[in-house]
Amino acid sequence: MSARDAMLGRIRASLADRPPVPGVPRGYRTSSPPDVDPVALFSERVRDYRATVHRRAPADVGATIATALATRGARRVGIPPGFDRALIARAAVEVVVDEPPLARAELDALDGVVTACAVAIAETGTIVIDAGPDQGRRALSLLPDYHLCVVGADQIVGTVAEALARLDPRRPLTWISGPSATSDIELQRVEGVHGPRTFDVVIVEALSPALPDPPAPQEAVP
Amino acid sequence: MRVALFVTCFNDLLFPEVGRAVVTLLRRLGHEVDFPAGQTCCGQLHFNAGYRDQALSLVRRFTRVFAGFDAVVTPSASCAAMVRTHHALLVREAGDGALEAAVGEVAPRVRELSELLVDDLGLTDVGARFPHPVAFHPTCHSIRLLGIGDRPRRLLEAVDGLTLVDLPGADECCGFGGTFAVKNAGTSVAMGTDKVAAVRASGAAVLTSADTSCLMHLGGLLSRAHAPVRVMHLAEILASR
Amino acid sequence: MATLREPVPTFAGTPPFPKAAAAALADRQLRENLRRATTTIRDKRARAVAERDDWEALRLAGAAIKDEVLARLPELLVKLEERVTAAGGAVHWARDAAEANAIVAGIVKDTGATEVVKVKSMATQEIGLNEALAREGIAAWETDLAELIVQLGQDLPSHFLVPAIHRNRSEIRDIFRRRMAAAGRPAPDGLTDEPRALAEAARLHLREKFLRARVAISGANFAIAETGTVIVVESEGNGRMCLTLPETLITVMGIEKLLPRWQDLEVFLQLLPRSSTAERMNPYTSMWTGVTSDDGPQAFHLVLLDNGRSDTLSDPTGRQALRCIKCSACLNVCPVYERTGGAAYGSPYAGPIGAILVPQLRGIARHPVDEQTASLPYASSLCGACFEVCPVRIDIPEVLVHLRGQVVRQRGWRQRTLSQEALLMRSLGLALGEPRRLAAAERLAGLAAGTVARDGWIGRLPLPGLLGAWFRGRDLRAPARMSFRRWWARQRRGTT
């Protein structure tokens, strides 16, 4: 008998008492309360992870990206093949397109990476990238030490449930909530281990004019 | 209302003054209690230690002895929890339909003392006087199994002259745990030692709770350390004047 | 290539819990480290959970979904296999640890690799995969910071989430200074015990391993039957490295890790982060379905592990342990775990959930178990704090008591009459079985106590076994001269 058949047989035998299949009571919230502004909540929650958030009108996004890259001291910056180059044109950096795919060592040598995202979640301060053309393959947003992610205001949903409904499980997905972190030493959170240690988010406001930046997080990311 | 007292085997032998305090208190409040002489034990010790057969025969006796009363009051939150949450489980396992029905009648009528006072008699001030600083240990089975919440605390707060001191980490286990106290004596004592340190630092002269089992463990640690803190059951404080 | 050549410690030979706990209780540094860490995370978890006013609804949904998984397990496993295979992955079935280890070693050898990078995985610890690979000449590098600390420190993991919870920062610095060089890139000169500096040292040490890795091994937090998607939840980015960079990815997954539907993640991605690291969301979650061309590993193997799970499933009361999502909230609130640490449990599954899961995985439902295994259901004061925080509502105290019943039953009448505990239980049972016998026993006890008690308490008594154990650190309440029932009878006679 194959291991497969043996295991399935044992499992069936163990369920000889025919436990009932319960209905799933889904009494939890799947959308945000109506008075919640998802963009404002998203900004606040991302900042809680000690990432920097900028909210900008479309016309100001290029300048904000340029300033952010300059602030981080980035000189060679990777972008996915489908990323809107105009957004990074004003930055005083060498732009490296991941096409043909860069070798691991080349990715590792980049100062940073700028990508778009697939969806963002307000309640948890999460962005999700799905390897779409403007987000690139997974390694691109992983090996460089700095990640700047451009998020459209219309991409921000309230809850995890709403995000799942928008995502395609057949694509490789990476959910990112702030910079990489560990709690392995005395259960105290330290930002920055293997993934990008610095994480900036630029939110592109849909219609409203430029808004002032939210106050800087208490402890600025170095 | 016909009220029976289930004193518990533990109090019967080790803390008879707790049973006497319940009788005194309820009489003062105008209620007579009966003490069915056939009572012994709720079966908790055997049940928790894995001796289910013996526990089952104790459940049988309990159900027979306390049948027909409107309420059964007990000065033990963990015994009340045993009866209310586990008697039904045990008899269901045994597949004894008649007993299951009897347990279904008797078990829900079992009331821990503070439940009887607060819920059934509608009292928080029972006219007690106890002019001492007191620390209250809520006990795991009181809060997590039985869910009596802040009833003992409300009763204590209404006692004339009593100062309820703050006990940090109050809802953490004291380490008694029935046979755990002897099968894992080292860990049990380590947990109790931390609890006793908190009690001593609280400035309390008396440590109280709704269960004498925890109090025996903590009292034993306090006694060994010659600490100037006494243990008293909630009923004893409420019966004082 | 550098390897760790010293023998790696294992849990084999761990004594029964009380004895293993005694060693931990005597270690003041360990207790201080544990106390600090568990109290920190406890408060954080309480805040993270309090933020969701629908927490109880999420728990109820989580428990129901997991019960559905268990009830439909054969069908869902077959569906998962179908979907993973259709998406370009290969599915393997492993009845036990040896079979799983052989499958993994075979896959690694076929690639020609002699080393693998690993994402923290309870399942691979359970089956002793690293040791099995070492026997085949394959070096397995742990890449989670805490796992790295444990591996470099020649240590045993003591917590699901934070396997090095028993180490404080200066111990970790010393381990890095002493041992990193033998395993690859040495610790930077002048390494301090600042957590940030220690994390940086781990980053540098592991980066060269990630960049050259050809094979990675992971566990799985969840796998979706209807889509074939596998999910790994992590914090540091070592998971992303392992799941993305190598050519071959092998995932070892317990069969209970399934979820029926994609939608079910809306429950578990809320329950898990708040319960484990006490965050709204963990930094990184990776999800993949089979293989994706031009992105990530081009070969994906999923190993479905039984290793006692189907035995566990056979017990209607005990099977709820298989709902566990390994969040570790029960460890963090457990007063026993806080004082003994994880090593005392003799398995990677420590704490309250370990005490109910391990005896079942070792077959307690089907046959008598060894002394160490039989001691685990007793490693609890039944305080119930674990059930209160469990995100999938596993009634751990209920299962503990249930398993104690199995231990007692399996010992049989012969063995039971010989042990002191059984004798005590039998004689107590006899006395309690009949009020007149009880009254007589009470009188005897009261009289005897009168000779040794002082102020109502009995001091040290040189008694053997369990009775003597009470007097370790504690006095005993003296049985009363007059029991309550005697007092009652007297006052009744007096008033009538």
Side-chain angles (χ1 to χ4, degrees):
Chain A
M1 196 194 285
S2 71
R4 180 184 188 275
D5 294 343
M7 273 168 67
L8 287 170
R10 273 155 68 163
I11 295 165
R12 287 195 186 98
S14 288
L15 292 170
D17 64 320
R18 301 204 158 266
V21 177
V24 178
R26 296 191 190 265
Y28 49 86
R29 264 190 315 106
T30 53
S31 55
S32 297
D35 58 330
V36 167
D37 169 6
V39 179
L41 184 63
F42 174 73
S43 313
E44 182 195 312
R45 295 281 155 101
V46 173
R47 283 203 317 277
D48 281 351
Y49 296 126
R50 308 219 178 121
T52 308
V53 183
H54 308 274
R55 295 176 64 172
R56 290 292 184 269
D60 301 329
V61 169
T64 302
I65 291 174
T67 311
L69 292 175
T71 308
R72 304 299 177 188
R75 289 194 208 143
R76 294 184 76 243
V77 174
I79 57 168
F83 188 79
D84 180 0
R85 294 198 66 158
L87 287 177
I88 199 171
R90 294 174 63 177
V93 296
E94 182 192 340
V95 175
V96 185
V97 183
D98 185 32
E99 191 178 50
L102 298 166
R104 286 179 195 180
E106 290 175 295
L107 288 174
D108 191 39
L110 291 174
D111 295 323
V113 58
V114 181
T115 74
C117 75
V119 65
I121 307 165
E123 280 190 355
T124 58
T126 303
I127 65 149
V128 185
I129 50 179
D130 73 356
D134 55 358
Q135 297 153 55
R137 63 201 173 102
R138 287 173 284 173
L140 176 63
S141 48
L142 174 61
L143 283 170
D145 201 9
Y146 169 61
H147 183 191
L148 187 154
C149 187
V150 181
V151 179
D154 58 348
Q155 291 184 296
I156 302 174
V157 298
T159 64
V160 170
E162 290 166 331
L164 285 164
R166 283 198 189 190
L167 289 165
D168 179 353
R170 288 167 303 184
R171 305 188 66 88
L173 302 173
T174 306
W175 296 44
I176 300 172
S177 306
S180 97
T182 182
S183 303
D184 280 353
I185 301 164
E186 298 178 5
L187 274 169
Q188 284 176 12
R189 185 176 158 109
V190 176
E191 279 82 19
V193 199
H194 303 296
R197 285 181 288 187
T198 310
F199 184 54
D200 285 350
V201 173
V202 178
I203 300 171
V204 186
E205 299 280 355
L207 300 165
S208 50
L211 293 166
D213 277 336
Q218 299 262 304
E219 267 175 75
V221 177
Chain B
M1 187 159 85
R2 283 190 72 213
V3 181
L5 169 64
F6 170 48
V7 75
T8 80
C9 59
F10 204 83
N11 288 323
D12 185 17
L13 173 66
L14 298 168
F15 296 89
E17 63 273 25
V18 174
R20 297 202 296 269
V22 174
V23 173
T24 306
L25 172 65
L26 290 177
R27 279 184 186 156
R28 194 171 78 207
L29 297 170
H31 301 275
E32 196 50 50
V33 289
D34 200 355
F35 179 81
Q39 66 178 280
T40 59
C41 169
C42 64
Q44 183 181 193
L45 177 74
H46 286 95
F47 176 74
N48 283 350
Y51 293 79
R52 292 205 165 197
D53 297 348
Q54 271 130 336
L56 184 66
S57 55
L58 292 169
V59 171
R60 221 177 274 284
R61 165 171 287 279
F62 183 96
T63 307
R64 192 173 66 237
V65 167
F66 287 105
F69 287 95
D70 299 312
V72 179
V73 63
T74 180
S76 165
S78 82
C79 297
M82 170 69 197
V83 176
R84 289 229 297 262
T85 62
H86 294 131
H87 276 196
L89 176 92
L90 257 173
V91 296
R92 206 175 316 127
E93 254 182 24
D96 182 336
L99 182 59
E100 196 176 339
V103 166
E105 276 294 308
V106 172
R109 295 169 199 260
V110 171
R111 324 286 288 152
E112 184 275 331
L113 176 66
S114 73
E115 292 180 305
L116 183 89
L117 294 172
V118 175
D119 300 346
D120 302 317
L121 304 181
L123 295 168
T124 46
D125 185 349
V126 296
R129 178 170 163 72
F130 194 76
H132 304 284
V134 173
F136 173 63
H137 171 52
T139 90
C140 303
H141 289 181
S142 298
I143 48 180
R144 299 202 184 88
L145 261 181
L146 196 62
I148 60 176
D150 66 349
R151 290 174 183 83
R153 182 171 282 280
R154 274 148 64 197
L155 290 161
L156 286 169
E157 278 166 354
V159 171
D160 186 24
L162 186 149
T163 316
L164 202 53
V165 303
D166 186 44
L167 183 61
D171 58 356
E172 279 167 39
C173 179
C174 70
F176 173 65
T179 53
F180 175 77
V182 286
K183 284 178 83 92
N184 280 285
T187 310
S188 169
V189 167
M191 288 160 69
T193 302
D194 290 348
K195 180 67 73 183
V196 160
V199 171
R200 295 184 74 169
S202 75
V206 171
L207 172 67
T208 191
S209 91
D211 250 309
T212 43
S213 49
C214 304
L215 291 180
M216 179 171 84
H217 168 65
L218 295 171
L221 285 158
L222 287 163
S223 166
R224 178 65 60 90
H226 305 291
V229 183
R230 285 176 63 198
V231 294
M232 285 175 80
H233 188 275
L234 178 69
E236 294 177 88
I237 292 178
L238 298 179
S240 303
R241 26 193 359 176
Chain C
M1 186 192 59
T3 50
L4 292 167
R5 299 226 173 269
E6 297 87 342
V8 177
T10 67
F11 284 107
T14 305
F17 190 83
K19 204 169 167 197
L25 289 165
D27 185 339
R28 287 184 59 185
Q29 180 71 64
L30 171 74
R31 280 180 65 183
E32 177 54 27
N33 295 351
L34 284 167
R35 194 194 56 79
R36 190 186 315 169
T38 53
T39 47
T40 303
I41 192 76
R42 235 179 257 176
D43 298 344
K44 271 185 73 184
R45 191 210 73 96
R47 284 197 299 273
V49 163
E51 204 177 88
R52 298 245 19 154
D53 51 9
D54 57 349
W55 185 251
E56 196 52 33
L58 285 166
R59 288 178 82 208
L60 286 166
I65 292 167
K66 279 296 185 180
D67 282 349
E68 178 188 348
V69 167
L70 299 180
R72 296 174 57 198
L73 195 52
E75 167 207 344
L76 292 175
L77 283 170
V78 169
K79 192 188 257 183
L80 177 77
E81 177 186 43
E82 221 175 82
R83 294 300 145 92
V84 170
T85 311
V91 175
H92 310 261
W93 300 69
R95 279 168 283 204
D96 54 29
E99 197 161 53
N101 288 333
I103 291 167
V104 175
I107 298 167
V108 178
K109 280 185 177 167
D110 285 348
T111 68
T114 54
E115 65 169 359
V116 298
V117 285
K118 281 189 69 205
V119 195
K120 197 177 118 41
S121 143
M122 297 301 296
T124 62
Q125 278 177 30
E126 172 191 328
I127 60 178
L129 178 64
N130 292 7
E131 298 79 64
L133 290 176
R135 285 193 293 272
E136 304 279 342
I138 299 161
W141 302 112
E142 295 291 351
T143 64
D144 169 78
L145 176 51
E147 293 282 10
L148 175 72
I149 296 164
V150 169
Q151 188 174 44
L152 291 177
Q154 303 274 299
D155 210 344
L156 287 169
S158 62
H159 191 279
F160 308 166
L161 178 71
V162 202
I165 194 174
H166 55 292
R167 297 290 194 186
N168 66 19
R169 58 184 73 188
S170 58
E171 291 173 291
I172 295 167
R173 179 204 52 204
D174 295 346
I175 290 168
F176 280 10
R177 276 187 182 162
R178 261 198 335 267
R179 326 235 13 163
M180 265 185 174
R185 181 172 174 155
D189 290 334
L191 178 66
T192 69
D193 65 1
E194 259 308 296
R196 196 167 295 278
L198 296 170
E200 166 78 9
R203 178 185 176 95
L204 295 170
H205 178 78
L206 288 171
R207 179 108 348 186
E208 61 171 21
K209 292 195 162 65
F210 290 135
L211 291 177
R212 71 166 186 240
R214 291 172 52 205
V215 181
I217 297 173
S218 83
N221 289 96
F222 309 104
I224 311 295
E226 72 173 1
T227 62
T229 310
V230 181
I231 293 109
V232 164
V233 170
E234 53 134 355
S235 293
E236 296 168 7
N238 64 308
R240 290 176 70 190
M241 296 279 178
C242 292
L243 301 170
T244 307
L245 298 179
E247 297 137 29
T248 301
L249 170 62
I250 307 166
T251 298
V252 181
M253 176 189 125
I255 50 175
E256 81 286 12
K257 288 282 169 187
L258 273 172
L259 297 177
R261 294 156 297 262
W262 175 248
Q263 189 201 354
D264 297 327
L265 285 173
E266 72 191 25
V267 175
F268 289 93
L269 290 181
Q270 301 282 359
L271 289 175
L272 181 55
R274 286 179 202 261
S275 298
S276 61
T277 49
E279 293 165 305
R280 293 189 183 110
M281 190 60 83
N282 52 291
Y284 299 133
T285 299
S286 295
M287 307 180 178
W288 71 97
T289 304
V291 297
T292 310
S293 55
D294 308 326
D295 190 344
Q298 295 303 296
F300 171 52
H301 297 268
L302 181 62
V303 181
L304 300 174
L305 177 71
D306 184 333
N307 205 35
R309 285 163 178 77
S310 55
D311 278 353
T312 307
L313 193 62
S314 69
D315 182 333
T317 302
R319 65 167 65 117
Q320 59 183 308
L322 295 175
R323 288 185 199 150
C324 178
I325 56 172
K326 309 293 179 311
C327 73
S328 70
C330 64
L331 279 66
N332 298 334
V333 298
C334 177
V336 174
Y337 176 86
E338 181 187 334
R339 287 166 182 86
T340 65
Y345 293 81
S347 118
Y349 300 112
I353 185 67
I356 63 168
L357 191 56
V358 172
Q360 297 196 85
L361 290 177
R362 292 180 186 162
I364 197 172
R366 301 202 189 254
H367 52 75
V369 291
D370 62 277
E371 278 299 309
Q372 193 273 332
T373 306
S375 73
L376 291 174
Y378 297 91
S380 166
S381 64
L382 304 178
C383 83
C386 47
F387 178 36
E388 203 168 56
V389 298
C390 177
V392 286
R393 296 179 56 91
I394 301 169
D395 191 341
I396 295 176
E398 181 195 6
V399 181
L400 285 167
V401 171
H402 173 75
L403 296 180
R404 291 177 186 185
Q406 284 181 336
V407 171
V408 169
R409 201 170 52 242
Q410 284 172 355
R411 294 261 158 93
W413 183 86
R414 254 181 97 78
Q415 221 179 326
R416 266 157 71 183
T417 49
L418 293 177
S419 86
Q420 190 198 27
E421 175 195 318
L423 270 173
L424 274 171
M425 287 296 169
R426 284 170 68 87
S427 27
L428 271 172
L430 268 175
L432 295 167
E434 165 56 55
R436 248 172 300 176
R437 277 202 295 269
L438 179 58
E442 283 174 343
R443 285 193 80 152
L444 269 176
L447 285 171
T451 64
V452 285
R454 198 170 38 81
D455 299 332
W457 295 89
I458 303 171
R460 285 161 230 262
L461 273 192
L463 293 172
L466 292 177
L467 294 172
W470 179 271
F471 292 97
R472 203 180 305 157
R474 284 166 296 205
D475 292 347
L476 181 70
R477 177 74 176 186
R481 289 266 188 172
M482 189 186 298
S483 68
F484 179 83
R485 71 181 65 239
R486 259 180 82 205
W487 174 81
W488 178 269
R490 281 203 181 180
Q491 60 100 34
R492 292 294 278 200
R493 279 200 300 276
T495 56
T496 50

